[in-house]
Amino acid sequence: MSVPHPSDPPRPEHPRPQFVREAWLNLNGEWEFEIDRSDTGLERGLRERELTGRIVVPFCPESTLSGVGETDFLEAVWYRRTVTVPADWADARVLLHFGAVDHDTTVWANGVEVARHRGGFTPFTADLDKVAAAGERVTIVVRARDSRHGPQARGKQATWYANTHCHYTRTTGIWQTVWLEPVPRAAALRRPRITPDLASGSFFLELPLTANLPGHRVRATLRDEAGEVAVAESRADLDLAPRLVLPVPDGRRRAWSPADPHLYDLTLQLLDADGGIVDTARSYAGLRSVSARGKQLLLNGEPVFQRLVLDQGYYPDGLMTAPTDRDLVRDIELGLHAGFNGARLHQKVFEERYLYHADRLGYLVWGEFGDWGCEVGVRDDNQHPDASYITQWLEALERDYSHPSIVGWCPLNETYQPLHDRITRLDDVTRGMFLATKQADATRPVLDASGYAHRVPESDVYDSHCYEQDPAVFAKLMSGLAQDSPYVNTGPEGRTWSLPYGGQPYFCSEFGGIWWDPEAVAAAGNERDTSWGYGERPRTQEEFVARFGGLTAVLLDDPDMFGYCYTQLTDVFQERNGVYRFDRSEKVDTALLRAAQTRPAAYERDA
């Protein structure tokens, strides 16, 4: 695993690759820091005084890369840093951006509260206008609360002290890039929504604005390696979000796919009445489509079998934060090397630069929310997600809408709860998150909940999780799809968790998870004290490869199965069921896994 050079600022790259202004200031690096175990810091004056410790942002205090390495529960933490706004940002409105802070955050600038945000996975922005101008110093203070109690979207973060089973070391506070950005004061571009339309060979753009001024216009310019492809303009004084169409001529059309992940460069501009540039930003776009036909889920109108791997995005020294940008790239390259063509981004909203690399490398992605953490109720009503699940998910959808690598959405995972004659909070929130996704994005399929409690009958996709280790038994369990009776997860004693299958495209979205820990000393007889996975641990690499090949063959040979997701890309702490070790080193000859996966699937061959 690569490690930042001591003289370089950590994670120096622009954190928002699909909406880049030239002027910005990365605030990663050393901040003052203090742990506030009883959340009494406001009363004790932590907002006003210097803090007693130091931390390296954007790494969380539980990580070793932060320089803190405190893994006990942190009810609240405080950050403080004084910076000077660049003098050449005159006449601009200064924005303070946070990529992600876990979990409930308040931000002050020069003693003035400028932002509050709930949710540990999504970005938010503080407006520093009238607080700090060009050339002035601004003291930024951040308090992040992260209680272990009550419902909270935590993903795989443990609510007890130790790493246990499939729950891992917590992340508290800042864990993605913090940065300043100047934007034009009178009117400016907001983040665009880029929708590819492969049928017409066009891109549809929505360009939200901060204000509509007389005479202003918006312009978008699309380019490829040969130069300008299309230009479109519109008035910017009538609509909060002007819309543009960029038609791509026949000879310049290249559909984005894993085989050809072609991206067009996109320049966005806001012009004044005299044609002068008021605001400009760089972006990019991929031309591709996702559609459904019976049990098929099609990419660009063709059946592309989705050979996905479960990726949890944890690192030994950075936890949920990749040590370097290169580590994000490497995880995708590792998946491709082992024969996968995409990933379920599991129980975490990955940082946006991962999606940028997936876009340019042609890696299919299912976007997911880190919903685990709401099991606080009683039997038969045990899942209590709150309204913040929907608000956080909407923020994730807005951030990631324009990335071509994302081919599906999954807001919830393994929300196990019996169906009965009362409408529960889980029913309300599951439907709310599904409807929110469909309203935010009509172009991609939505899976209401992965694996377990399917509560939305009109869900675009249906799935199951199955960790049966015997390929012959696994084949019997998976054999009913052709008769519209696929494997469906049920609760203890066969209790019903899900609405019946309705004929949608279907895939087994978690399987395998083979417990493979070559370093375990079998003679000690206590392997499961230090590691775990599914099934009996193979005694040799040959046994592992044979089981892997047998399980994947069951799904590859099913003409009605549009894909699968193997658990998982890497080991994570005590969970030793990865294709690679936690440090990303190879623990099995991945060429053998690639050979098992990359033969034509029946779904592709029989189409």
Side-chain angles (χ1 to χ4, degrees), residues 388-553:
S388 73
Y389 275 54
I390 300 175
T391 58
Q392 292 174 67
W393 180 237
L394 281 168
E395 290 174 336
L397 293 169
E398 183 63 25
R399 192 198 77 173
D400 295 342
Y401 174 89
S402 301
H403 287 282
S405 59
I406 298 177
V407 294
W409 298 112
C410 180
L412 298 167
N413 175 74
E414 292 187 351
T415 46
Y416 61 94
Q417 182 171 292
L419 282 172
H420 47 70
D421 65 349
R422 294 183 183 276
I423 297 175
T424 67
R425 188 178 305 181
L426 177 62
D427 294 306
D428 287 334
V429 172
T430 302
R431 183 157 194 82
M433 294 184 83
F434 176 83
L435 292 176
T437 312
K438 297 300 289 186
Q439 288 293 316
D441 185 1
T443 72
R444 294 178 176 94
V446 181
L447 174 61
D448 58 346
S450 183
Y452 290 0
H454 296 295
R455 327 289 272 204
V456 178
E458 64 268 37
S459 179
D460 298 314
V461 174
Y462 204 98
D463 76 336
S464 68
H465 297 174
C466 183
Y467 286 105
E468 171 58 49
Q469 296 294 297
D470 185 328
V473 177
F474 186 59
K476 291 180 181 179
L477 291 173
M478 289 289 145
S479 63
L481 183 55
Q483 292 77 41
D484 288 339
S485 182
Y487 180 77
V488 177
N489 294 110
T490 57
E493 301 175 352
R495 297 192 68 184
T496 300
W497 279 341
S498 297
L499 295 172
Y501 172 66
Q504 307 100 313
Y506 176 100
F507 73 135
C508 183
S509 63
E510 285 187 32
F511 79 107
I514 302 169
W515 178 36
W516 178 229
D517 189 0
E519 283 70 43
V521 182
N526 64 348
E527 297 92 334
R528 289 191 182 274
D529 291 340
T530 57
S531 72
W532 74 276
Y534 293 96
E536 292 300 317
R537 184 175 67 88
R539 292 183 294 272
T540 65
Q541 174 179 271
E542 289 71 23
E543 286 187 22
F544 174 87
V545 172
R547 192 189 305 178
F548 178 93
L551 294 172
T552 54

Side-chain angles (χ1 to χ4, degrees), residues 534-592:
Y534 293 96
E536 292 300 317
R537 184 175 67 88
R539 292 183 294 272
T540 65
Q541 174 179 271
E542 289 71 23
E543 286 187 22
F544 174 87
V545 172
R547 192 189 305 178
F548 178 93
L551 294 172
T552 54
V554 169
L555 305 178
L556 285 166
D557 292 339
D558 188 336
D560 293 313
M561 187 82 60
F562 77 80
Y564 59 60
C565 181
Y566 181 84
T567 303
Q568 63 180 321
L569 181 66
T570 74
D571 297 340
V572 184
F573 292 108
Q574 67 280 355
E575 190 172 350
R576 307 288 174 81
N577 52 17
V579 173
Y580 298 93
R581 295 182 178 88
F582 198 14
D583 65 2
R584 276 57 177 175
S585 62
E586 190 172 80
K587 67 174 182 177
V588 64
D589 185 351
T590 48
L592 300 175

Side-chain angles (χ1 to χ4, degrees), residues 58-75:
F59 303 110
C60 71
E62 291 89 349
S63 71
T64 57
L65 287 178
S66 72
V68 179
E70 173 56 80
T71 59
D72 204 349
F73 293 101
L74 306 176
E75 191 72 16

